[in-house]
Amino acid sequence: MAVDATQPYDDQNIFAKILRGEIPNKTVYQDEFALAFHDINPQAPTHVLVIPKGAYVSWDDFSAKANDAEIAGFVRAVGLVARQMGLVEPGYRLLANTGINSHQEVPHLHVHLFAGQPLGPMLVR
Ligand code: AMP
């Protein structure tokens, strides 16, 4: 079910549980600001999720409330993961769903990183 990105942060969401170590994940990278792990239901040969360690519902929430160090750390982590996975030369796609019309399902900011094959034109539907 799609989430309303205007609602307060719910610390029982699945990515909050992953960050607390209550649910396992296949970690690709982590640092002070971010955790990257493989999506459980991959939509491309490479499908990694990068999440901030702070409690932010969406890109909107994060961009409005995170401090500069958190924003810089998270954005740099996304790029670092892509470079470490060798994805710059073949190319990759980033996607961050926010709210109901985007069909965001998990109310903790996550950037999808898709790669591993030609991804085609970006389609809205
Ligand atoms: P979104 O629709 O943008 O909110 O995407 C949520 C993503 O989280 C989906 O691609 C799911 O497959 C993925 N997901 C849900 N639960 C887990 C989990 N336990 N570990 C890894 N990925 C997950």
Side-chain angles (χ1 to χ4, degrees):
M1 199 177 107
V3 299
D4 178 350
T6 68
Q7 291 300 301
Y9 187 81
D10 171 10
D11 69 4
Q12 293 306 305
N13 80 75
I14 198 138
F15 294 168
K17 292 179 180 176
I18 284 176
L19 283 170
R20 290 194 296 266
E22 295 167 11
I23 291 178
N25 74 93
K26 290 187 180 171
T27 298
V28 170
Y29 172 82
Q30 70 172 316
D31 62 22
E32 179 185 353
F33 296 107
L35 172 69
F37 53 97
H38 289 283
D39 195 291
I40 205 166
N41 183 24
Q43 303 298 310
T46 297
H47 184 174
V48 167
L49 301 172
V50 190
I51 69 175
K53 289 206 166 165
Y56 300 102
V57 174
S58 66
W59 188 270
D60 178 71
D61 191 31
F62 183 67
S63 61
K65 296 181 190 156
N67 66 39
D68 289 355
E70 289 176 297
I71 291 172
F74 179 66
V75 172
R76 288 194 188 282
V78 174
L80 193 69
V81 168
R83 283 193 296 281
Q84 282 192 348
M85 296 184 80
L87 302 178
V88 178
E89 190 273 326
Y92 62 92
R93 177 172 292 158
L94 301 178
L95 174 73
N97 292 319
T98 300
I100 292 165
N101 279 355
S102 75
H103 211 273
Q104 180 183 0
E105 289 187 333
V106 179
H108 182 113
L109 170 61
H110 48 286
V111 171
H112 296 258
L113 193 164
F114 302 105
Q117 67 180 31
L119 297 165
M122 197 201 71
L123 301 175
V124 175
R125 61 177 75 225

